[in-house]
Amino acid sequence: MLLKIKFITVIFLVLNCNAIAQSLPKITAKDYGFTQSVKKVEMVTYTLHSEKAIQTEKVSYNFNTDGTIKSYERKSNTSSDWLKLSSNYKKGLLRKRITKHRNSNLNRKHQYVYDTQHNLIEERIYLKKGEKNHIKYEYQNNKLQSIIANINDTNSITTFYYTQKGNLYKKVHHQKHKAKEDVISNHFYLEDKEILSYTEPSTNYKAYIYTEIVDIAFKIIEENNATSRINKGIQRFNKEAPKDNIPFNLEQYSNQTWQFYEKHLDKVEPYQITIYSYKKDTLGNKVKYATANVNIKQENIATIQFFRTTLQNGNIVGDTKYNENTYLELVEHLKYIKIPK
């Protein structure tokens, strides 16, 4: 079985959810999903129709030697749509970011302000028609504590919580609305990966599975016994995580969540499945080569991206050309992922 999963018993069950615990002050290659020290990454997306691969989009990322994003460009092969992003740094700090679109009304400029400890404290966003959005960043013990944003006349505050060792374990996002009820979303983290989220007042539990080969994002159908166990797990997590007293790591946790997923297919609703393929660099490190996005309803691969990665040492890994053998490898992996009917 290609996706062999170890079943590991843990003290309590909390399901897990997918997102990078990115704190905006320093966006690096890792925040874009590239784990190696990369200089440039080119990506081409192919959409699959009637067993034919049609090139639909090209994307390129350029990074500085310290890993921070330098520029980004996306171009559609099926329309005239395009986007370009460029970043300006001074003394290693991001000072300005400009985004240009085919539709110039979407163009915007970001300016960044820092404190004496080089923590980002303010972001000003200027739109073409003169509108201005504003984001403030607050810190405690040199850790990002809250983000207060006014975007398009909508106010929000995001609060971050850390363990005794300084690891992020929870984020609470409060979206304030004038004409309707506020929405509060709660996000829980382990090793910088989101392990569960739910919203108030509607709950709306979402969870993720992480393995080296596949990520599965799924909703948990409410009004069943699973939700009561999740709530108990959340209570325990809130108690133990601040003390760094979690009895498992992310891999073990994902294995437990995979077991839950397979045992309760009638209680879960997957909404995103991504399968990965890798190549090795000259040192034997794995570098992302291809990702496949699954059409869950049809249980097949809808799109596939191929990566050509230029490492900081100049070595190149992968190619953006469509590879039929890699596609078939990813299809084989998909056979072992159970999708609820």
Side-chain angles (χ1 to χ4, degrees):
M1 179 175 176
L2 295 177
L3 291 177
K4 185 177 181 181
I5 302 297
K6 298 181 295 181
F7 293 144
I8 299 175
T9 302
V10 296
I11 292 179
F12 59 92
L13 173 67
V14 183
L15 297 169
N16 82 46
C17 206
N18 179 27
I20 295 174
Q22 179 191 116
S23 55
L24 186 61
K26 189 175 182 180
I27 303 175
T28 69
K30 290 186 177 181
D31 295 308
Y32 289 90
F34 309 121
T35 57
Q36 304 297 321
S37 179
V38 299
K39 182 178 182 180
K40 183 176 182 178
V41 179
E42 299 161 272
M43 181 188 79
V44 173
T45 298
Y46 296 85
T47 299
L48 304 174
H49 290 294
S50 302
E51 300 183 355
K52 290 183 179 181
I54 302 172
Q55 191 178 113
T56 55
E57 186 178 75
K58 291 182 179 180
V59 171
S60 65
Y61 308 82
N62 288 279
F63 297 95
N64 297 308
T65 54
D66 65 352
T68 53
I69 184 70
K70 182 178 181 180
S71 63
Y72 168 88
E73 185 171 348
R74 175 177 57 80
K75 183 179 184 300
S76 171
N77 285 35
T78 58
S79 71
S80 56
D81 187 38
W82 58 268
L83 177 150
K84 293 182 180 181
L85 177 150
S86 60
S87 301
N88 178 265
Y89 294 82
K90 290 184 179 179
K91 296 181 180 181
L93 298 176
L94 175 63
R95 292 294 182 177
K96 184 187 295 184
R97 172 164 289 159
I98 297 175
T99 303
K100 294 184 178 181
H101 299 254
R102 175 184 176 274
N103 179 356
S104 61
N105 290 324
L106 300 176
N107 291 351
R108 61 194 60 202
K109 179 173 67 174
H110 298 246
Q111 289 183 343
Y112 302 94
V113 181
Y114 298 82
D115 63 15
T116 55
Q117 285 76 42
H118 295 168
N119 292 316
L120 175 65
I121 58 173
E122 187 177 359
E123 179 179 359
R124 302 162 186 163
I125 307 170
Y126 300 90
L127 283 71
K128 182 180 179 181
K129 294 183 178 180
E131 300 97 330
K132 179 180 176 182
N133 293 324
H134 190 263
I135 302 175
K136 285 188 176 181
Y137 301 84
E138 297 180 345
Y139 298 81
Q140 185 174 334
N141 300 323
N142 213 34
K143 286 281 189 180
L144 181 63
Q145 192 71 27
S146 61
I147 299 176
I148 303 168
N150 184 305
I151 305 294
N152 299 330
D153 294 324
T154 299
N155 296 316
S156 69
I157 180 168
T158 304
T159 307
F160 299 81
Y161 299 84
Y162 301 90
T163 70
Q164 292 176 352
K165 294 181 179 179
N167 299 313
L168 178 68
Y169 77 90
K170 184 167 69 171
K171 180 175 72 177
V172 178
H173 180 74
H174 186 177
Q175 190 81 30
K176 300 178 180 180
H177 297 279
K178 295 180 180 179
K180 55 183 180 179
E181 194 170 14
D182 291 358
V183 175
I184 300 175
S185 58
N186 302 268
H187 308 262
F188 301 89
Y189 291 84
L190 184 62
E191 297 177 20
D192 283 343
K193 291 281 190 177
E194 191 171 0
I195 60 173
L196 173 73
S197 71
Y198 71 92
T199 58
E200 301 176 63
S202 61
T203 64
N204 189 27
Y205 293 98
K206 294 182 179 179
Y208 282 69
I209 294 169
Y210 302 97
T211 76
E212 186 177 40
I213 298 175
V214 63
D215 291 345
I216 302 177
F218 62 95
K219 299 176 184 178
I220 303 163
I221 301 172
E222 296 184 49
E223 299 179 350
N224 60 64
N225 293 332
T227 55
S228 63
R229 284 190 288 162
I230 293 168
N231 288 326
K232 290 180 180 178
I234 290 172
Q235 292 175 7
R236 184 69 182 272
F237 191 85
N238 276 323
K239 179 181 178 181
E240 301 296 343
K243 300 180 290 185
D244 295 286
N245 194 28
I246 302 299
F248 48 77
N249 59 26
L250 181 62
E251 180 183 2
Q252 294 168 331
Y253 185 67
S254 291
N255 292 337
Q256 183 71 14
T257 305
W258 185 285
Q259 187 181 62
F260 170 88
Y261 175 88
E262 290 195 325
K263 285 186 175 180
H264 301 88
L265 293 176
D266 60 327
K267 298 179 176 63
V268 299
E269 181 183 330
Y271 62 91
Q272 183 175 328
I273 299 177
T274 307
I275 311 173
Y276 301 92
S277 177
Y278 302 88
K279 285 185 178 293
K280 291 185 178 181
D281 64 14
T282 55
L283 298 177
N285 299 311
K286 287 186 175 181
V287 179
K288 183 165 60 177
Y289 169 54
T291 60
N293 305 298
V294 176
N295 184 317
I296 294 171
K297 290 184 178 180
Q298 297 183 12
E299 299 186 27
N300 60 16
I301 293 176
T303 61
I304 183 170
Q305 293 86 31
F306 287 96
F307 297 82
R308 183 180 189 268
T309 301
T310 303
L311 303 175
Q312 287 289 355
N313 61 15
N315 291 339
I316 296 175
V317 181
D319 198 294
T320 58
K321 294 180 181 178
Y322 180 78
N323 187 314
E324 180 71 14
N325 290 332
T326 300
Y327 165 72
L328 294 175
E329 170 194 323
L330 296 169
V331 169
E332 192 66 22
H333 289 322
L334 179 58
K335 293 179 181 179
Y336 296 96
I337 302 174
K338 295 181 180 178
I339 299 177
K341 302 297 182 182

